[in-house]
Amino acid sequence: MPDPILVTLVALIVGLCAGSFVNVVIHRLPKMLERGWEAQCAELRGATPEAAPAYNLVVPRSACPACGHRITALENIPVVSWVALRGRCSACRASIPIRYPIVEALGGLLAAYAIWRFGLTPRGVGACLLLWALLALTVIDLDTQMLPDDLTLPLLWAGLVFNLGAVFAALPDAVIGAVAGYLSLWTIYWLFKLIRGKEGMGYGDFKLLAALGAWLGWQMLPLIVLLSSVVGATIGIALIVFKGRDHEIPMPFGPYLAIAGAIALFFGQPLTRLYLP
């Protein structure tokens, strides 16, 4: 049996590297979608889309947005490189946002805790994948108020695949969770729109809750909705009181769902026994 401490340390290192890739997804995926939409619009107008260099999650190599300096392998070590460079580009000394090492550190810490909690098992590996996806969705939603189908839909199907073996929930519970997760927020969306005449949330929120239901089962959905509402209300009130934020400005709901999903992943079973004994 492998040493739990050693396995957890390895998970931390792998998670730091995964966090670095999550940063790439956060930065590039919205731009990839925007380029795709622009190409589709050009085709609908009957125009020929302009040829552009390949741009995806693999190419081109990461570079400084200020001067174009190609980031070397030594400058791309998670967290360590940012600290060694003192948060600045080695070529032009432009500032590198602190968000990058924070995302990398979160990727590592979440993976380490998941493996420490669940072991090097399908449950532990699946928890890491789920948490990394939730981390990417959280930051993308904060940046763009968008939860891309390119992440939410594969996440939903991955949850069902994992639960073919009842890793997190029985397969019937996972299927019902996916359906109920989508329809619950879909219903709230239309009720709010009929009453207020405007949209209260985006379709990406439906799909994210459906994905969480597919991973964790329908029993977790009430807990996730409750926790996300409490977290969202707390942060929203704090922003209004301390930051003077206009309450009419829309706030993304995806990050609160993601935080609630992570809490339910680790502590959901004892919490759900409070209302489903």
Side-chain angles (χ1 to χ4, degrees):
M1 183 176 180
D3 183 357
I5 296 178
L6 177 61
V7 171
T8 302
L9 288 175
V10 172
L12 175 64
I13 295 171
V14 173
L16 288 170
C17 296
S20 181
F21 181 71
V22 167
N23 272 323
V24 175
V25 173
I26 291 168
H27 178 74
R28 295 193 181 190
L29 184 57
K31 294 184 177 181
M32 291 163 54
L33 294 174
E34 184 177 349
R35 290 187 177 201
W37 297 332
E38 290 175 350
Q40 292 173 7
C41 291
E43 290 176 359
L44 290 174
R45 294 195 307 267
T48 302
E50 295 183 6
Y55 187 86
N56 52 49
L57 298 181
V58 180
V59 294
R61 282 177 50 190
S62 297
C64 173
C67 68
H69 166 69
R70 298 286 185 179
I71 297 175
T72 66
L74 289 177
E75 295 171 344
N76 207 25
I77 301 173
V79 180
V80 174
S81 292
W82 189 90
V83 174
L85 293 170
R86 298 181 181 179
R88 295 190 176 276
C89 171
S90 62
C92 68
R93 309 307 298 167
S95 177
I96 303 172
I98 194 173
R99 186 177 78 181
Y100 290 102
I102 289 176
V103 169
E104 292 168 348
L106 284 174
L109 292 173
L110 289 171
Y113 184 67
I115 296 300
W116 177 81
R117 180 73 179 272
F118 302 126
L120 190 58
T121 62
R123 190 179 182 91
V125 174
C128 290
L129 296 176
L130 173 60
L131 291 166
W132 293 332
L134 292 178
L135 179 58
L137 286 165
T138 294
V139 183
I140 289 175
D141 202 14
L142 288 172
D143 284 347
T144 66
Q145 294 196 1
M146 176 178 66
L147 294 170
D149 288 351
D150 299 62
L151 291 179
T152 55
L153 297 184
L155 187 63
L156 189 156
W157 290 112
L160 295 178
V161 169
F162 265 90
N163 285 325
L164 286 172
V167 174
F168 295 93
L171 183 59
D173 293 340
V175 174
I176 295 171
V179 175
Y182 187 92
L183 290 180
S184 58
L185 291 188
W186 180 87
T187 303
I188 294 172
Y189 167 89
W190 281 107
L191 287 174
F192 186 88
K193 189 170 184 178
L194 289 172
I195 295 172
R196 297 291 302 275
K198 59 182 180 180
E199 297 180 353
M201 65 180 67
Y203 279 63
D205 298 321
F206 316 162
K207 298 165 190 174
L208 178 54
L209 187 57
L212 292 172
W215 277 85
L216 305 178
W218 66 266
Q219 296 90 339
M220 295 292 180
L221 291 179
L223 176 66
I224 292 172
V225 173
L226 176 62
L227 287 173
S228 61
S229 300
V230 171
V231 172
T234 302
I235 295 176
I237 292 172
L239 288 174
I240 292 172
V241 172
F242 297 107
K243 294 281 189 176
R245 182 187 177 97
D246 187 350
H247 70 278
E248 293 293 333
I249 298 176
M251 296 177 61
F253 190 53
Y256 310 137
L257 283 174
I259 293 170
I263 295 172
L265 170 67
F266 292 121
F267 310 109
Q269 290 187 0
L271 290 174
T272 52
R273 280 196 288 269
L274 297 175
Y275 61 87
L276 290 175

